[in-house]
Amino acid sequence: MTLTLIDRTRCTDAAPDKDVVDTDAAPEKAPDAAPRRAVGREADGLAVASFVLGLVGLLVFNILLGPMAIVMALLALARHTRRRGRAFLGLALGVADLAVLAALVTANGTVAWSIGG
């Protein structure tokens, strides 16, 4: 199997002062199309990350993961994520992490907690 490369550049003998239009050239794309797509993907990733961190934060490290989930969810919503539901769930789970932390601190008097008693 061979790979053949085709050179699509067109050499013209036109004078440099004449306008030459290349009909085979691809139409120009908007220069900001790629960054918009990257920001959208980043916002979707932030929404998913906030959901996962909020969910894990209910079990461990809720003092750290709760605020991180809240911040990531707010960033995802500010960047207009397509996964708004997941961002809102991440926000709610981050707030729940802090509520669980507050309840445990009130009940035990310490930030650390254990399931076994």
Side-chain angles (χ1 to χ4, degrees):
M1 185 159 131
T2 60
L3 177 66
T4 305
L5 298 175
I6 300 172
D7 185 16
R8 293 190 182 253
T9 58
R10 177 184 276 184
C11 297
T12 59
D13 295 331
D17 58 356
K18 293 183 180 178
D19 292 335
V20 177
V21 176
D22 189 7
T23 58
D24 293 336
E28 292 185 24
K29 294 182 179 178
D32 60 337
R36 282 186 188 168
R37 216 171 317 152
V39 169
R41 285 184 185 163
E42 183 180 316
D44 291 346
L46 284 170
V48 172
S50 72
F51 173 72
V52 170
L53 288 176
L55 197 59
V56 172
L58 287 173
L59 301 174
V60 293
F61 298 121
N62 47 3
I63 194 168
L64 179 67
L65 297 181
M68 286 177 57
I70 292 170
V71 168
M72 286 186 179
L74 292 175
L75 282 174
L77 290 171
R79 294 180 183 178
H80 304 292
T81 182
R82 291 179 303 203
R83 300 179 180 205
R84 293 179 56 82
R86 200 158 292 165
F88 281 123
L89 280 174
L91 182 64
L93 286 170
V95 171
D97 290 346
L98 296 179
V100 167
L101 177 67
L104 290 172
V105 167
T106 303
N108 293 341
T110 181
V111 176
W113 61 279
S114 63
I115 296 173

Short mmCIF file of all heavy atoms in Angstrom, two decimals, residues 38-65:
data_model
loop_
_atom_site.label_atom_id
_atom_site.label_comp_id
_atom_site.label_asym_id
_atom_site.label_seq_id
_atom_site.Cartn_x
_atom_site.Cartn_y
_atom_site.Cartn_z
N ALA A 38 -13.46 24.86 22.02
CA ALA A 38 -12.62 24.46 23.15
C ALA A 38 -13.20 24.95 24.46
O ALA A 38 -13.18 24.23 25.46
CB ALA A 38 -11.20 25.01 22.95
N VAL A 39 -13.75 26.17 24.47
CA VAL A 39 -14.36 26.69 25.70
C VAL A 39 -15.60 25.88 26.05
O VAL A 39 -15.86 25.59 27.22
CB VAL A 39 -14.70 28.19 25.54
CG1 VAL A 39 -15.56 28.69 26.68
CG2 VAL A 39 -13.42 29.00 25.45
N GLY A 40 -16.38 25.47 25.05
CA GLY A 40 -17.56 24.64 25.30
C GLY A 40 -17.18 23.30 25.89
O GLY A 40 -17.82 22.81 26.81
N ARG A 41 -16.14 22.69 25.37
CA ARG A 41 -15.68 21.41 25.91
C ARG A 41 -15.15 21.58 27.32
O ARG A 41 -15.36 20.73 28.17
CB ARG A 41 -14.59 20.82 25.03
CG ARG A 41 -15.10 20.24 23.76
CD ARG A 41 -14.00 19.59 22.99
NE ARG A 41 -14.47 19.13 21.70
CZ ARG A 41 -13.69 18.82 20.70
NH1 ARG A 41 -12.39 18.93 20.85
NH2 ARG A 41 -14.19 18.42 19.57
N GLU A 42 -14.44 22.67 27.53
CA GLU A 42 -13.91 22.94 28.86
C GLU A 42 -15.04 23.14 29.87
O GLU A 42 -14.99 22.64 30.99
CB GLU A 42 -13.01 24.17 28.82
CG GLU A 42 -12.36 24.50 30.14
CD GLU A 42 -11.48 25.72 30.03
OE1 GLU A 42 -10.73 25.83 29.04
OE2 GLU A 42 -11.55 26.56 30.93
N ALA A 43 -16.07 23.86 29.46
CA ALA A 43 -17.21 24.08 30.34
C ALA A 43 -17.94 22.78 30.63
O ALA A 43 -18.37 22.54 31.76
CB ALA A 43 -18.16 25.10 29.72
N ASP A 44 -18.07 21.91 29.63
CA ASP A 44 -18.70 20.61 29.85
C ASP A 44 -17.86 19.77 30.80
O ASP A 44 -18.39 19.07 31.67
CB ASP A 44 -18.89 19.87 28.53
CG ASP A 44 -19.94 20.51 27.64
OD1 ASP A 44 -20.69 21.37 28.14
OD2 ASP A 44 -19.99 20.16 26.45
N GLY A 45 -16.55 19.83 30.64
CA GLY A 45 -15.66 19.10 31.55
C GLY A 45 -15.75 19.62 32.97
O GLY A 45 -15.70 18.84 33.93
N LEU A 46 -15.89 20.92 33.12
CA LEU A 46 -16.06 21.50 34.45
C LEU A 46 -17.36 21.03 35.10
O LEU A 46 -17.41 20.77 36.30
CB LEU A 46 -16.03 23.02 34.39
CG LEU A 46 -14.67 23.68 34.21
CD1 LEU A 46 -14.83 25.16 33.93
CD2 LEU A 46 -13.81 23.46 35.43
N ALA A 47 -18.42 20.93 34.31
CA ALA A 47 -19.71 20.47 34.84
C ALA A 47 -19.60 19.03 35.32
O ALA A 47 -20.08 18.70 36.42
CB ALA A 47 -20.80 20.60 33.77
N VAL A 48 -18.97 18.18 34.53
CA VAL A 48 -18.81 16.78 34.92
C VAL A 48 -17.91 16.66 36.14
O VAL A 48 -18.19 15.91 37.07
CB VAL A 48 -18.27 15.95 33.74
CG1 VAL A 48 -17.91 14.54 34.17
CG2 VAL A 48 -19.28 15.91 32.60
N ALA A 49 -16.82 17.42 36.15
CA ALA A 49 -15.90 17.37 37.28
C ALA A 49 -16.57 17.85 38.57
O ALA A 49 -16.35 17.27 39.64
CB ALA A 49 -14.67 18.22 36.98
N SER A 50 -17.39 18.88 38.48
CA SER A 50 -18.08 19.35 39.68
C SER A 50 -19.05 18.30 40.21
O SER A 50 -19.16 18.10 41.42
CB SER A 50 -18.82 20.66 39.40
OG SER A 50 -19.94 20.43 38.59
N PHE A 51 -19.73 17.60 39.32
CA PHE A 51 -20.64 16.53 39.73
C PHE A 51 -19.88 15.41 40.43
O PHE A 51 -20.27 14.95 41.50
CB PHE A 51 -21.40 16.00 38.51
CG PHE A 51 -22.24 14.79 38.81
CD1 PHE A 51 -23.39 14.91 39.56
CD2 PHE A 51 -21.88 13.54 38.36
CE1 PHE A 51 -24.17 13.80 39.84
CE2 PHE A 51 -22.64 12.43 38.64
CZ PHE A 51 -23.80 12.56 39.39
N VAL A 52 -18.77 14.98 39.83
CA VAL A 52 -17.99 13.88 40.40
C VAL A 52 -17.38 14.28 41.74
O VAL A 52 -17.43 13.52 42.71
CB VAL A 52 -16.90 13.42 39.41
CG1 VAL A 52 -15.93 12.45 40.05
CG2 VAL A 52 -17.54 12.79 38.18
N LEU A 53 -16.81 15.49 41.81
CA LEU A 53 -16.22 15.94 43.07
C LEU A 53 -17.27 16.09 44.16
O LEU A 53 -17.01 15.77 45.32
CB LEU A 53 -15.48 17.27 42.86
CG LEU A 53 -14.18 17.19 42.08
CD1 LEU A 53 -13.61 18.59 41.88
CD2 LEU A 53 -13.19 16.30 42.77
N GLY A 54 -18.44 16.59 43.81
CA GLY A 54 -19.51 16.71 44.79
C GLY A 54 -19.98 15.35 45.29
O GLY A 54 -20.26 15.18 46.48
N LEU A 55 -20.03 14.39 44.39
CA LEU A 55 -20.47 13.05 44.77
C LEU A 55 -19.44 12.36 45.67
O LEU A 55 -19.80 11.79 46.70
CB LEU A 55 -20.71 12.22 43.50
CG LEU A 55 -21.53 10.95 43.63
CD1 LEU A 55 -22.91 11.27 44.17
CD2 LEU A 55 -21.64 10.29 42.29
N VAL A 56 -18.19 12.46 45.30
CA VAL A 56 -17.13 11.86 46.11
C VAL A 56 -16.99 12.61 47.44
O VAL A 56 -16.71 12.01 48.47
CB VAL A 56 -15.79 11.84 45.33
CG1 VAL A 56 -14.64 11.41 46.20
CG2 VAL A 56 -15.90 10.92 44.12
N GLY A 57 -17.22 13.91 47.40
CA GLY A 57 -17.10 14.72 48.61
C GLY A 57 -18.10 14.38 49.69
O GLY A 57 -17.89 14.71 50.86
N LEU A 58 -19.19 13.71 49.33
CA LEU A 58 -20.14 13.28 50.36
C LEU A 58 -19.53 12.22 51.27
O LEU A 58 -19.94 12.06 52.42
CB LEU A 58 -21.41 12.73 49.71
CG LEU A 58 -22.34 13.77 49.10
CD1 LEU A 58 -23.47 13.07 48.36
CD2 LEU A 58 -22.88 14.71 50.16
N LEU A 59 -18.54 11.48 50.75
CA LEU A 59 -17.93 10.40 51.52
C LEU A 59 -16.60 10.79 52.16
O LEU A 59 -16.33 10.44 53.30
CB LEU A 59 -17.73 9.19 50.62
CG LEU A 59 -19.00 8.62 49.99
CD1 LEU A 59 -18.66 7.52 49.02
CD2 LEU A 59 -19.95 8.14 51.06
N VAL A 60 -15.74 11.47 51.40
CA VAL A 60 -14.40 11.79 51.90
C VAL A 60 -14.04 13.22 51.53
O VAL A 60 -14.51 13.75 50.52
CB VAL A 60 -13.33 10.84 51.33
CG1 VAL A 60 -13.52 9.43 51.85
CG2 VAL A 60 -13.34 10.84 49.83
N PHE A 61 -13.21 13.84 52.32
CA PHE A 61 -12.64 15.16 52.07
C PHE A 61 -13.68 16.21 51.73
O PHE A 61 -13.48 17.05 50.85
CB PHE A 61 -11.59 15.11 50.95
CG PHE A 61 -10.42 14.24 51.24
CD1 PHE A 61 -10.10 13.17 50.43
CD2 PHE A 61 -9.62 14.50 52.34
CE1 PHE A 61 -9.02 12.38 50.69
CE2 PHE A 61 -8.53 13.71 52.60
CZ PHE A 61 -8.21 12.64 51.79
N ASN A 62 -14.82 16.19 52.42
CA ASN A 62 -15.88 17.13 52.07
C ASN A 62 -15.48 18.58 52.37
O ASN A 62 -16.01 19.49 51.76
CB ASN A 62 -17.20 16.77 52.75
CG ASN A 62 -17.06 16.46 54.21
OD1 ASN A 62 -15.98 16.56 54.77
ND2 ASN A 62 -18.15 16.07 54.81
N ILE A 63 -14.52 18.80 53.23
CA ILE A 63 -14.07 20.17 53.50
C ILE A 63 -13.31 20.74 52.30
O ILE A 63 -13.28 21.94 52.08
CB ILE A 63 -13.21 20.22 54.78
CG1 ILE A 63 -13.02 21.66 55.23
CG2 ILE A 63 -11.86 19.53 54.56
CD1 ILE A 63 -12.45 21.78 56.61
N LEU A 64 -12.73 19.87 51.48
CA LEU A 64 -11.96 20.30 50.31
C LEU A 64 -12.78 20.16 49.02
O LEU A 64 -12.81 21.08 48.19
CB LEU A 64 -10.68 19.48 50.22
CG LEU A 64 -9.75 19.77 49.06
CD1 LEU A 64 -9.15 21.16 49.20
CD2 LEU A 64 -8.66 18.74 48.99
N LEU A 65 -13.42 19.01 48.86
CA LEU A 65 -14.11 18.73 47.60
C LEU A 65 -15.43 19.49 47.45
O LEU A 65 -15.85 19.78 46.33
CB LEU A 65 -14.37 17.23 47.48
CG LEU A 65 -13.11 16.35 47.41
CD1 LEU A 65 -13.49 14.90 47.27
CD2 LEU A 65 -12.21 16.78 46.28
#
